[in-house]
C-alpha cells in the first residue's frame, strides 16, 4: 500500500464553525501549489489536551487555537515563544524535536496590519488608548510596548480587569476610567478597539472621536462587520484607520510557514476572498 504524507493542519475551537482560518490557509496552499489540508476541529472544553498531543504525530503537523482553548493550549506546551510566555495564551501549535511548541501570533498580526494600513503609525508613540482588557487587548498592549509607546491607557467595562492587565505589564501601561476617556483622546496618537463592542450582535462602541488630534490613527480589531462604526466614524473625520481583517490575515502567516514550509503573503486577492466570505455570513446572520 502506498502511504501519502500530506501535512494536515487546522483550527481547534468550540464552536469553530465561524472560523475564517480554513479559507485563509486553503487559499495559500492552492496559491503556493502545496499538498496539504486545513480543517476545522470542534474540540470540547476539557478535551483540548487529548487533541493537542496528537500534533506532530502522523499527518497532523499543527494547529491554530481559538476560543475557549488559548489558555489550555498555553498549559499543554513543552516550550513557548517569548511572546506566548508574556501573554499566557497560545494560538499556534507545532512539534519540533519531539517537543510541543506554542506561539501567539496576534502580536505580530496586529503590528504587520498597522504597518501596512498606516505606515509610520508608531512614529510619535507618546500615548495609545486601548479599549478592552481581554485576551486580544493583552496582545495589543504587548505589541504597543514593543514599539516603544510612552503611555498605554487601558479602558474597560470591568475596571478591575483593566487594572489587572496594567499590573501584569507594568509601566507604561495604566488603567483609565471610561469617564476619563474623552480627556485621554485629546493627546492620543492611537486609539485601538480591542473589545467586542461594535461587533455584529454586540452593543455599539459609543466613543466621540472629535477630541482626537488630526494625525491620530484609529484601529479596530473587530472584523464583523468589515468596517465597524468606529472605523467609519474615524474615516469620516479624515483619520487614518486600520481594520480588523488585516490583523486576522497577518496572524495566520507564521503558522502556515511552520507547518507547510513556505512563507505565505497577505495579498489583495486573499483579502477579497475573506471579505466576500465575511460579508456573505454577516448578511445571512443579519
Ligand atoms: N482581528 C483579529 O485578528 C482578532 C484577533 C483576536 C480577537 N479579535 C476580536 O477582538 C474582540 C475581543 O476578543 P478577545 O479574545 O479579547 O475577547 P475576550 O477575552 O472575551 O474580551 C472581551 C472584551 O470585550 C469586553 N466586552 C464584552 N462585552 C462587553 C459589553 N457588553 N460592553 C463593554 N465591553 C464588553 C470585555 O470587557 P469585560 O472585561 O468587562 O468583560 C473584554 O474587554 C473580539 O471581537 C474578537 O473577535 C480579533
Amino acid at each position: 500500500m502506498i502511504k501519502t504524507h500530506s501535512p494536515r493542519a487546522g483550527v481547534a475551537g468550540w464552536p469553530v464553525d465561524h472560523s475564517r482560518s480554513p479559507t485563509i490557509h486553503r487559499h495559500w496552499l492552492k496559491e503556493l501549489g502545496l499538498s496539504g489540508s486545513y480543517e476545522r476541529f470542534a474540540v470540547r472544553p476539557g478535551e483540548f489536551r487529548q487533541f493537542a498531543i496528537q500534533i506532530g504525530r502522523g499527518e497532523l503537523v499543527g494547529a491554530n487555537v481559538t476560543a475557549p482553548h488559548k489558555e489550555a493550549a498555553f498549559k499543554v506546551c513543552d516550550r513557548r515563544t517569548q511572546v506566548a510566555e508574556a501573554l499566557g495564551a497560545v494560538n499556534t501549535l507545532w512539534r519540533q524535536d519531539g517537543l510541543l511548541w506554542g506561539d501567539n501570533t496576534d502580536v505580530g498580526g496586529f503590528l504587520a496590519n498597522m504597518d501596512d494600513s498606516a505606515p509610520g503609525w508608531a512614529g510619535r508613540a507618546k500615548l495609545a488608548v486601548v479599549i478592552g482588557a481581554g485576551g486580544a487587548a493583552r496582545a495589543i498592549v504587548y505589541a504597543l510596548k514593543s514599539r516603544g509607546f510612552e503611555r498605554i491607557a487601558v479602558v474597560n467595562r470591568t475596571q478591575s480587569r483593566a487594572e489587572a492587565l496594567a499590573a501584569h505589564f507594568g509601566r507604561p501601561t495604566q488603567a483609565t476610567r471610561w469617564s476619563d476617556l474623552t480627556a485621554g483622546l485629546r493627546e492620543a496618537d492611537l486609539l485601538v478597539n480591542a473589545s467586542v463592542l461594535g461587533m455584529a450582535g454586540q452593543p455599539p462602541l459609543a466613543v466621540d472621536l472629535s477630541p482626537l488630534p488630526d494625525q491620530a490613527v484609529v484601529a479596530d480589531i473587530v472584523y464583523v462587520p468589515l468596517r465597524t462604526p468606529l472605523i467609519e466614524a474615524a474615516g469620516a473625520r479624515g483619520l487614518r484607520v486600520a481594520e480588523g481583517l488585516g490583523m486576522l490575515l497577518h496572524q495566520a502567516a507564521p503558522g502556515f510557514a511552520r507547518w507547510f514550509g513556505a512563507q505565505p503573503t497577505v495579498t489583495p486577492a486573499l483579502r477579497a476572498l475573506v471579505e466576500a466570505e465575511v460579508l456573505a455570513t454577516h448578511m445571512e446572520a443579519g
Side-chain angles (χ1 to χ4, degrees), residues 199-225:
M199 188 175 158
Q202 298 288 340
L205 172 56
V207 178
D208 174 13
L209 299 184
S210 57
L212 277 172
D214 290 345
Q215 71 280 6
V217 176
V218 174
D220 200 334
I221 69 162
V222 169
Y223 58 89
V224 182

Side-chain angles (χ1 to χ4, degrees), residues 80-160:
R80 305 168 196 101
T81 60
Q82 202 183 341
V83 178
E85 287 289 356
L87 300 184
V90 155
N91 72 353
T92 304
L93 290 166
W94 71 98
R95 198 172 290 275
Q96 196 175 315
D97 302 326
L99 301 174
L100 188 63
W101 272 82
D103 189 11
N104 192 309
T105 63
D106 279 341
V107 172
F110 173 78
L111 292 173
N113 184 42
M114 292 303 297
D115 291 339
D116 260 14
S117 308
W121 64 279
R124 209 178 86 103
K126 288 221 182 294
L127 170 64
V129 176
V130 178
I131 297 175
R138 264 181 181 238
I140 283 157
V141 167
Y142 182 93
L144 297 175
K145 271 188 90 163
S146 78
R147 287 294 173 97
F149 271 82
E150 289 174 19
R151 274 169 63 210
I152 303 168
V154 179
V155 183
N156 192 47
R157 172 180 63 175
T158 310
Q159 171 78 9
S160 59

Side-chain angles (χ1 to χ4, degrees), residues 148-207:
F149 271 82
E150 289 174 19
R151 274 169 63 210
I152 303 168
V154 179
V155 183
N156 192 47
R157 172 180 63 175
T158 310
Q159 171 78 9
S160 59
R161 282 190 89 196
E163 281 161 11
L165 192 151
H168 176 83
F169 285 109
R171 282 161 62 95
T173 314
Q174 60 196 58
T176 302
R177 295 188 179 279
W178 272 105
S179 51
D180 295 332
L181 180 60
T182 305
L185 291 182
R186 273 185 212 120
E187 293 166 43
D189 303 296
L190 174 69
L191 170 66
V192 187
N193 176 40
S195 77
V196 302
L197 292 172
M199 188 175 158
Q202 298 288 340
L205 172 56
V207 178

